Amino acid sequence: DAGITQSPRHKVTETGTPVTLRCHQTENHRYMYWYRQDPGHGLRLIHYSYGVKDTDKGEVSDGYSVSRSKTEDFLLTLESATSSQTSVYFCAISESAPTSGRNQETQYFGPGTRLLVL
Amino acid sequence: ILNVEQSPQSLHVQEGDSTNFTCSFPSSNFYALHWYRWETAKSPEALFVMTLNGDEKKKGRISATLNTKEGYSYLYIKGSQPEDSATYLCAFSNSGYALNFGKGTSLLVTP
């Protein structure tokens, strides 16, 4: 299994509070991703990183920010949590970009974080 | 946002049945098509990455084919077993860094 951990694994918070989720990898992979998974929507990309300090927005980035100060850590922050951000959040990593056309672009997923915003 | 469609949404088969499901994706600017297997309470697990038209990949009883010209991929499971019960996701990439996931096909195999 790829060495990916997420913390916390479960969190309950109140509307309006800031929340930071952490993804940590031991694979030294360049690319890291944050997805959210909701019933009826499948996996949707929030933000991704293609290197230290290099990040960009995904499909559902509103209300989220990210930071990557070192290769192994990718942080997802909800500046002011809302109930619509209640979801399961998955981090993923890959050695290569999805456009590389090689097996190295396979994404490996972390165990997920369940977030409930009351 | 690229539209990746998977069908059927769910499937219930008996142990020993063979089954298949479909992933449809835009055929322009194709780079790769991924299949993932996602068991309840676990993380998605990569099955295949396919890049060339006509690609066929196999892993045990599971195989997949790819038609990039018409924009579809099939996933086949031969002789389904209860442990095959999971959601099967496909994801498509055409440019940039993002994978666009379908909503998945939920497979239930009963003894």
Side-chain angles (χ1 to χ4, degrees):
Chain A
D1 290 343
I4 312 168
T5 56
Q6 293 184 229
S7 58
R9 293 292 313 280
H10 303 271
K11 187 168 182 67
V12 180
T13 191
E14 294 186 349
T15 297
T17 59
V19 177
T20 295
L21 309 182
R22 180 182 184 235
C23 177
H24 179 79
Q25 60 144 329
T26 57
E27 305 297 321
N28 200 36
H29 283 359
R30 180 179 172 186
Y31 299 90
M32 299 186 75
Y33 312 83
W34 276 108
Y35 293 91
R36 60 178 289 174
Q37 189 258 327
D38 305 289
H41 287 280
L43 285 166
R44 292 183 292 173
L45 183 67
I46 305 171
H47 281 277
Y48 59 93
S49 169
Y50 46 97
V52 173
K53 298 190 189 304
D54 292 323
T55 66
D56 207 346
K57 296 178 180 180
E59 176 188 353
V60 290
S61 59
D62 286 349
Y64 302 95
S65 62
V66 289
S67 66
R68 190 163 178 207
S69 58
K70 45 187 178 178
T71 299
E72 57 266 36
D73 288 325
F74 192 31
L75 304 180
L76 177 71
T77 298
L78 291 65
E79 302 290 348
S80 177
T82 66
S83 57
S84 64
Q85 293 176 311
T86 292
S87 187
V88 181
Y89 291 85
F90 284 96
C91 171
I93 65 173
S94 67
E95 190 174 352
S96 299
T99 54
S100 71
R102 298 174 290 158
N103 282 339
Q104 289 86 345
E105 71 189 71
T106 296
Q107 292 190 13
Y108 299 95
F109 286 81
T113 294
R114 289 189 173 273
L115 176 67
L116 175 59
V117 183
L118 300 174
Chain B
I1 299 170
L2 299 169
N3 205 23
V4 181
E5 299 285 344
Q6 290 190 248
S7 62
Q9 184 176 354
S10 62
L11 199 53
H12 182 188
V13 302
Q14 297 294 311
E15 182 176 357
D17 289 348
S18 293
T19 186
N20 66 86
F21 12 98
T22 304
C23 173
S24 301
F25 53 87
S27 56
S28 59
N29 299 319
F30 174 86
Y31 277 86
L33 193 284
H34 298 229
W35 281 100
Y36 289 84
R37 180 172 181 273
W38 195 358
E39 289 182 71
T40 303
K42 294 187 177 180
S43 310
E45 174 190 353
L47 286 173
F48 307 115
V49 178
M50 294 186 290
T51 58
L52 297 175
N53 185 45
D55 258 355
E56 292 188 24
K57 294 276 179 96
K58 188 174 181 182
K59 188 175 183 179
R61 293 177 292 96
I62 303 176
S63 59
T65 62
L66 178 66
N67 183 324
T68 61
K69 295 185 186 302
E70 296 182 39
Y72 65 84
S73 175
Y74 293 138
L75 188 79
Y76 300 93
I77 302 178
K78 183 177 179 181
S80 302
Q81 299 296 309
E83 57 264 33
D84 296 329
S85 298
T87 295
Y88 291 84
L89 299 173
C90 74
F92 162 79
S93 66
N94 70 338
S95 65
Y97 301 99
L99 277 180
N100 300 278
F101 281 85
K103 296 178 183 178
T105 293
S106 177
L107 174 67
L108 176 63
V109 183
T110 51

